[in-house]
Amino acid sequence: MIARELISSVPVLHPSDSGTKALRLMNEYHLTQLPMVVDSKYLALVEEDDIMDLEDPDVPLESMEYSSTRPAVMEYAHLFEALKLFYDFRLSALPVVNKENEYLGIITKDNLLAALARYNGVKEPGGIVAFEVDPRDYALSEIARIAESNDVTLLSVNTITNPVTGKLEVVLKTNRQELQGLVATFERFNYVIKYIFAEEQEEEALKKNYDLLMNYIGM
């Protein structure tokens, strides 16, 4: 998934616009930044906090001082590059530009979050398994083989290093709710399971509720 596929249609600011207008648009679109564009070129990212610091918010934006840092992502950049910029600059909106610095649109935080959810199979039914391994013992091929041997498809694999222990935490999103066999196999291979999230199948949940009701009635 690339940046230009995540573009939202949001109004841009111009140097002649007032700070009051910028704040109104930010409030309307639930953003804390909006791009300033001149002759289709991306000029600056206007910050809500900078406008709030103005003595007179009705002055034109062109009278403000702007940081030399202008966060933007190229139109064919990967989703993860956009995510890094969101994190590094604490953004609510990220301008998308082409090689000529022409403004194409913005990626909003909501759009980015929705894309990440799709990318990680969040909407797909299935359970989650997380375990820890030493970084030197991490082998995606072995993890995939274990999953395949249990007839489990991995919808996404994410890793993060614990800064305290140095261990690698691996989070698997699977296509299966029943994960006992998969977990048992991982444990046989000395993977340390941290947590499991597996929703009950609807029929199993109904049967459990029915059994509880019958037990209650029989009391």
Side-chain angles (χ1 to χ4, degrees):
M1 190 172 291
I2 60 174
R4 66 178 300 155
E5 297 174 339
L6 304 175
I7 287 176
S8 294
S9 179
V10 174
V12 300
L13 299 173
H14 303 280
S16 58
D17 290 334
S18 67
T20 300
K21 178 181 178 180
L23 290 175
R24 177 176 57 80
L25 288 173
M26 290 178 188
N27 182 65
E28 182 179 346
Y29 287 89
H30 308 289
L31 300 171
T32 57
Q33 297 111 358
L34 278 176
M36 181 183 294
V37 177
V38 177
D39 296 329
S40 299
K41 302 287 187 180
Y42 169 49
L43 184 65
L45 192 63
V46 181
E47 297 273 354
E48 179 184 56
D49 288 345
D50 292 338
I51 299 175
M52 298 292 287
D53 289 340
L54 292 174
E55 292 185 7
D56 180 7
D58 288 325
V59 299
L61 295 174
E62 60 188 354
S63 64
M64 292 177 56
E65 293 185 4
Y66 297 99
S67 168
S68 58
T69 303
R70 296 181 302 166
V73 65
M74 299 295 292
E75 59 180 320
Y76 292 110
H78 189 266
L79 163 68
F80 285 177
E81 185 172 340
L83 178 62
K84 183 179 185 301
L85 290 170
F86 265 90
Y87 178 79
D88 288 344
F89 292 97
R90 303 295 189 267
L91 300 176
S92 68
L94 176 63
V96 181
V97 298
N98 61 17
K99 292 181 179 179
E100 288 73 39
N101 195 44
E102 292 175 333
Y103 174 78
L104 304 178
I106 67 166
I107 301 173
T108 65
K109 186 181 293 184
D110 287 345
N111 271 12
L112 181 68
L113 184 60
L116 287 171
R118 294 195 302 272
Y119 204 89
N120 285 281
V122 171
K123 290 188 175 182
E124 301 297 326
I128 296 172
V129 179
F131 53 79
E132 279 189 341
V133 295
D134 286 322
R136 66 176 180 272
D137 294 331
Y138 174 72
L140 183 56
S141 58
E142 180 178 77
I143 293 169
R145 181 179 57 78
I146 292 173
E148 185 178 354
S149 69
N150 284 272
D151 196 26
V152 172
T153 298
L154 301 181
L155 301 179
S156 70
V157 180
N158 291 285
T159 62
I160 185 171
T161 301
N162 186 318
V164 177
T165 65
K167 297 279 189 178
L168 194 65
E169 181 176 322
V170 183
V171 182
L172 309 177
K173 173 62 188 292
T174 76
N175 70 328
R176 294 273 298 277
Q177 300 288 4
E178 170 52 54
L179 297 173
Q180 291 181 350
L182 177 64
V183 169
T185 306
F186 275 128
E187 288 178 334
R188 285 202 305 273
F189 281 81
N190 298 319
Y191 289 91
V192 179
I193 303 298
K194 290 196 66 178
Y195 52 82
I196 306 164
F197 292 105
E199 298 177 3
E200 291 183 304
Q201 296 292 341
E202 185 175 356
E203 290 183 4
E204 293 178 1
L206 287 173
K207 184 178 184 302
K208 182 180 292 185
N209 290 335
Y210 175 79
D211 291 341
L212 289 173
L213 177 61
M214 290 300 100
N215 289 337
Y216 176 77
I217 293 174
M219 291 177 64

